[in-house]
């Protein structure tokens, strides 16, 4: 099965919304004439299966200990990748970066079975300016994790890759938004 091709079909069918006017407000505050609602894919059984296999194939040779990122966009991607890695007898742990440290208990901002010194990939559904990715990278780095790179399902090609590179992180994307908008 061509996981990437099928994922592209699902994104076109369910996640990509296009309007004549910029009616969609992005997390950056900017208005856009298109929106990618990837939760319709990442929180779907088939979508999770496809994404888990794609991301696992992308990371397995780099031998990360874990994959994760800022909640909520990264969570289903991390879980799917972890499950596929386990099925392939090469377990990669998932982890979650909270937007703020937990207000009770241990006050953790990273949840999961990761330990300082481990190597990880930061995951994203969509990268625009990379603000969420950079926040996740900072928290992970402050915790003591070694960041191998940032993986996004879709790069909106609006400065995120450059912003990550300035901070020393590589962006690896499954798709560039131009692949969806040119057809």
């Amino acid at each position: 099965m061509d996981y990437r091709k099928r994922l592209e079909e699902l994104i076109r069918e369910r996640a990509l919304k296009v309007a004549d006017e910029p009616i969609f407000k992005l997390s950056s505050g900017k208005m856009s004439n298109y929106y990618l609602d990837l939760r319709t894919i990442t929180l779907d059984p088939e979508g999770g299966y496809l994404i888990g296999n794609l991301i696992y194939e992308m990371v397995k040779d780099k031998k990360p200990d874990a994959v994760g990122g800022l909640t909520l966009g990264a969570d289903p991607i991390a879980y799917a990748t972890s499950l596929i890695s386990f099925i392939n007898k090469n377990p990669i742990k998932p982890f979650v970066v909270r937007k703020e440290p937990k207000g009770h208990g241990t006050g953790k901002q990273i949840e999961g079975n990761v330990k300082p010194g481990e190597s990880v990939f930061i995951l994203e559904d969509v990268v625009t300016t990379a603000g969420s990715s950079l926040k996740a990278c900072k928290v992970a780095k402050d915790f003591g994790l070694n960041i191998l790179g940032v993986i996004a399902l879709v790069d909106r090609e609006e400065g995120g890759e450059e912003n990550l590179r300035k901070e020393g992180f590589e962006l690896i994307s499954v798709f560039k938004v131009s692949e969806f908008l040119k057809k």
Side-chain angles (χ1 to χ4, degrees):
M1 172 184 243
D2 186 338
Y3 300 122
R4 189 179 188 280
K5 184 172 189 273
R6 178 62 183 139
L7 182 59
E8 180 181 359
E9 290 169 1
L10 286 179
I11 291 171
R12 285 184 190 283
E13 289 168 17
R14 293 193 212 156
L16 180 63
K17 313 285 184 223
V18 181
D20 293 331
E21 301 288 319
I23 61 169
F24 303 105
K25 188 172 186 176
L26 306 178
S27 63
S28 64
K30 181 181 168 194
M31 298 300 288
S32 176
N33 69 333
Y34 69 92
Y35 182 69
L36 287 155
D37 184 4
L38 287 184
R39 306 272 184 333
T40 62
I41 312 298
T42 62
L43 295 170
D44 175 79
E46 181 185 10
Y49 176 78
L50 297 169
I51 291 164
N53 276 285
L54 276 166
I55 302 299
Y56 175 70
E57 287 301 317
M58 292 170 78
V59 304
K60 69 179 183 181
D61 293 338
K62 295 188 170 110
K63 304 196 182 325
D65 296 296
V67 293
L70 202 62
T71 197
L72 173 79
D75 300 351
I77 303 169
Y79 305 148
T81 304
S82 180
L83 179 61
I84 296 298
S85 74
F86 183 81
I87 290 168
N88 282 280
K89 298 178 177 32
N90 180 26
I92 299 170
K93 301 176 281 191
F95 69 96
V96 173
V97 178
R98 293 175 177 271
K99 291 185 170 130
E100 299 297 327
K102 194 169 157 185
H104 59 282
T106 58
K108 292 196 267 185
Q109 194 164 1
I110 292 186
E111 298 291 348
N113 296 311
V114 291
K115 297 181 222 56
E118 291 186 319
S119 295
V120 303
F121 277 97
I122 299 297
L123 304 175
E124 278 284 358
D125 52 0
V126 179
V127 165
T128 303
T129 62
S132 296
S133 303
L134 287 166
K135 181 173 185 173
C137 287
K138 179 182 181 342
V139 172
K141 201 171 177 180
D142 289 350
F143 182 78
L145 298 175
N146 172 36
I147 300 165
L148 299 171
V150 176
I151 298 176
L153 296 179
V154 180
D155 176 6
R156 283 183 59 107
E157 301 174 275
E158 293 185 33
E161 184 173 10
E162 295 79 7
N163 290 338
L164 284 163
R165 193 178 310 117
K166 281 182 211 163
E167 297 299 321
F169 305 111
E170 176 188 17
L171 175 64
I172 306 159
S173 55
V174 178
F175 299 102
K176 302 259 187 215
V177 79
S178 54
E179 295 175 63
F180 295 101
L181 298 178
K182 68 182 177 190
K183 294 180 183 178

